[in-house]
Amino acid sequence: MSEVRTVTDRESAPRGRAAPAPSLWLTVLSLVAFVVLIALGIWQIERRAWKLTLIDRVEQRVHAVAQPIPPPASWPAVSAANDEYRHVSLKGRFLHDRETLVQAVTEEGPGYWVLTPLQRDDGTQVLINRGFVPSERRDASTRRDGNPDGQVEITGLLRITEPKGGFLRNNVPQHNRWYSRDVAAIAAARGLHDVAPFFVDADSRSQSAGGPVGGLTVVRFPNNHLIYALTWFALAFMLAGRLVVTFGGGLFRRNRGLNGFVHEPAGGPDVAARRTGSDAGTIVEPT
């Protein structure tokens, strides 16, 4: 007596069909996106290191002992990287009749910065941001008592010129509307000469009674680079996980479909149909 057993290939059954492979273009785009996300994360880490170095350098400058401003011969070489926020000192006489008001929003509220040229003994001029005044004190006649005459000594922070204007607002010199401390434009509008290409934010020690409020310089550098880096890396690993599931799962299903056979005993009611029907994957093995 012989026994016949059938072996059915699961791949031929509808339930065992492997998922279609992802398209080539989708695969390439996913890999490119993964590389870009990793690169962005690394770039943010590098930016964070640069920002921390900048903050440390500026802190040292702000709290250092005040030094004389750079001499005129070195003015063309003054830059934000090398000189901004240096604690400096200088002497001269204010030209109050040529002051300029620049719109400002400070911890004291909205109002204006008062920029006044300081005439030095060597003939050069330096714009001094004497400080803040509210809108009701915009007119110089309301603070005449706070405008010192004669020689004064100013200490403060060296600042780099702010050309063109403020956020979405351009300076309009012909209408005397100023939104940024643009040294060159202010000098041209006020007929100044031999002007330093920077200005000085006067500190509170240089403040005169009844004059603008000095010492309001905000030294703050946003440092969110670590959060940005973690975000880019998280997106990259999420994409990598999706690729692993897509390719790994598809490969597992295909291998399982190729290697998984079901042995069924002969004699069942559908044996004849399997031998002669559409199920070409059926194999009859005599034993």
Side-chain angles (χ1 to χ4, degrees), residues 107 113 129-131 201-205 207 213-218:
E107 60 186 28
W113 298 122
N129 178 14
R130 296 183 58 207
D201 276 348
D203 57 27
S204 58
R205 289 173 293 181
Q207 180 178 335
V213 179
L216 297 180
T217 305
V218 176

Side-chain angles (χ1 to χ4, degrees), residues 88-226:
V88 297
S89 63
L90 65 164
K91 295 179 180 180
R93 181 176 57 85
F94 280 126
L95 305 179
H96 294 293
D97 60 330
R98 300 189 188 185
E99 73 175 22
T100 300
L101 300 179
V102 179
Q103 287 196 3
V105 177
T106 72
E107 60 186 28
E108 301 285 334
Y112 299 91
W113 298 122
V114 179
L115 267 70
T116 307
L118 186 75
Q119 182 73 47
R120 302 206 303 160
D121 292 339
D122 62 359
T124 61
Q125 299 170 339
V126 179
L127 278 181
I128 305 297
N129 178 14
R130 296 183 58 207
F132 171 83
V133 293
S135 299
E136 59 269 22
R137 299 187 63 203
R138 173 176 180 171
D139 194 327
S141 62
T142 63
R143 44 188 165 80
R144 187 168 291 131
D145 293 341
N147 292 342
D149 294 324
Q151 188 88 345
V152 294
E153 181 175 1
I154 301 297
T155 57
L157 301 179
L158 186 151
R159 302 294 308 279
I160 301 301
T161 182
E162 302 167 344
K164 298 183 179 179
F167 180 67
L168 298 179
R169 307 188 77 174
N170 293 327
N171 295 323
V172 188
Q174 60 270 28
H175 294 152
N176 201 28
R177 291 203 295 266
W178 302 92
Y179 305 102
S180 74
R181 292 161 292 191
D182 186 338
V183 172
I186 291 174
R190 298 292 179 263
L192 305 176
H193 56 84
D194 296 326
V195 181
F198 51 84
F199 63 95
V200 174
D201 276 348
D203 57 27
S204 58
R205 289 173 293 181
S206 303
Q207 180 178 335
S208 302
V213 179
L216 297 180
T217 305
V218 176
V219 183
R220 183 183 302 125
F221 298 94
N223 187 14
N224 299 318
H225 299 292
L226 181 59

Side-chain angles (χ1 to χ4, degrees), residues 201-278:
D201 276 348
D203 57 27
S204 58
R205 289 173 293 181
S206 303
Q207 180 178 335
S208 302
V213 179
L216 297 180
T217 305
V218 176
V219 183
R220 183 183 302 125
F221 298 94
N223 187 14
N224 299 318
H225 299 292
L226 181 59
I227 296 175
Y228 297 152
L230 293 176
T231 300
W232 293 126
F233 287 141
L235 292 174
F237 287 124
M238 289 171 62
L239 179 59
R242 180 60 184 170
L243 290 173
V244 169
V245 170
T246 300
F247 288 98
L251 181 62
F252 173 76
R253 287 190 296 271
R254 285 195 295 273
N255 289 339
R256 186 180 179 187
L258 291 173
N259 299 326
F261 293 94
V262 176
H263 289 74
E264 297 180 356
D270 59 346
V271 169
R274 289 182 179 177
R275 290 176 178 175
T276 60
S278 61

